[in-house]
Amino acid sequence: YASIAEVPADKAYQSLSTVLWMLLAWQGWFATLLTPLVGAPQIADDMRSHAFEVYLARPISRWDYFLGKLLVIMRPLLLIMVLPVVIVLGMAHGFLEGTFASTWTLYPRAFAAILVWATVNSIVILGISSMGKSARYASVIWFVVTVGSFIVASILLQATQNSMFDLVSYNHCLFSVVINLIDLRPVVDLDLPIMDIDRGPRSSLLVLGGLCLLSTWLVMRRLRAGRLP
């Protein structure tokens, strides 16, 4: 933080937003690893153990089941992402005295980015978990969707220099949303995995929204097959 403390007050937002982005990027990859550990067994294990029969004996709907599973996955993801952000921003404001008034909006921006990240991860892993009875296979599919698409998009970006290939990558789409939420566009000389951050998050949100709709449909189809009301 010594280098941050030397930044003039008028550049505090730019400096803290850069630090916040670096933190969220690392946390995002950690969340990629944690998500299948928590989420892959949620529906797959219920199908394997015939737990649907237990749920059928209870007065719960498909949406009750879906939201309950969603919250189970989101809780640890939110915990591991929110606490470090609060600690880092709090420590940074301790070094940058008098800059809280110009940078306090980073807190709600960071929380909004984390909420989007955790929600999308949770919905997508639930959709994948509903595709079969094996949590192990669900985890493999998850890493194909996340890490596999990241590798493919990186190769295509390097080969073509066409920033639209960002949309091939699940994580690139999330990065784009986060970058726009914490407003990194004024930051210069920063090595970002998004080549065109001025494009805005609309295209990435459409991709992520489509994945969430598809995942929700997969879960609801599975629950209808299990005859949850």
Side-chain angles (χ1 to χ4, degrees), residues 70-110:
L70 189 67
L71 291 176
V72 168
I73 303 170
M74 287 183 65
R75 277 198 298 262
L77 294 179
L78 290 172
L79 183 64
I80 66 163
M81 298 186 81
V82 169
L83 286 181
V85 165
V86 172
I87 292 171
V88 168
L89 287 180
M91 292 177 63
H93 280 125
F95 283 93
L96 291 168
E97 297 181 3
T99 60
F100 181 81
S102 61
T103 59
W104 68 268
T105 57
L106 282 174
Y107 287 93
R109 287 175 181 270

Side-chain angles (χ1 to χ4, degrees), residues 29-215:
W29 283 113
F30 185 71
T32 298
L33 298 176
L34 179 63
T35 298
L37 293 178
V38 180
Q42 291 299 319
I43 299 179
D45 281 1
D46 282 353
M47 291 190 291
R48 182 175 52 83
S49 63
H50 302 288
F52 280 140
E53 298 173 3
V54 177
Y55 294 120
L56 284 170
R58 299 176 180 178
I60 63 172
S61 67
R62 291 193 297 268
W63 285 106
D64 291 332
Y65 178 91
F66 177 77
L67 292 175
K69 294 293 186 180
L70 189 67
L71 291 176
V72 168
I73 303 170
M74 287 183 65
R75 277 198 298 262
L77 294 179
L78 290 172
L79 183 64
I80 66 163
M81 298 186 81
V82 169
L83 286 181
V85 165
V86 172
I87 292 171
V88 168
L89 287 180
M91 292 177 63
H93 280 125
F95 283 93
L96 291 168
E97 297 181 3
T99 60
F100 181 81
S102 61
T103 59
W104 68 268
T105 57
L106 282 174
Y107 287 93
R109 287 175 181 270
F111 296 155
I114 291 169
L115 183 61
V116 170
W117 212 316
T119 302
V120 173
N121 273 15
S122 300
I123 292 175
V124 172
I125 191 61
L126 276 180
I128 294 173
S129 180
S130 71
M131 294 171 65
K133 298 181 180 181
S134 172
R136 184 180 304 173
Y137 291 149
S139 297
V140 171
I141 295 173
W142 166 259
F143 285 116
V144 169
V145 170
T146 56
V147 180
S149 67
F150 180 86
I151 294 172
V152 171
S154 299
I155 293 172
L156 291 173
L157 283 168
Q158 290 295 326
T160 66
Q161 297 298 305
N162 186 342
S163 63
M164 291 303 296
F165 283 115
D166 286 335
L167 301 176
V168 173
S169 169
Y170 175 88
N171 282 322
H172 275 191
C173 289
L174 282 171
F175 290 160
S176 176
V177 174
V178 171
I179 286 169
N180 281 273
L181 280 173
I182 62 177
D183 197 13
L184 272 181
R185 285 171 294 179
V187 179
V188 295
D189 298 328
L190 187 63
D191 184 19
L192 296 172
I194 305 298
M195 294 184 64
D196 185 11
I197 63 175
D198 289 325
R199 185 175 64 222
R202 180 177 299 179
S203 299
S204 296
L205 285 171
L206 287 174
V207 172
L208 296 174
L211 284 174
C212 288
L213 287 174
L214 174 61
S215 299

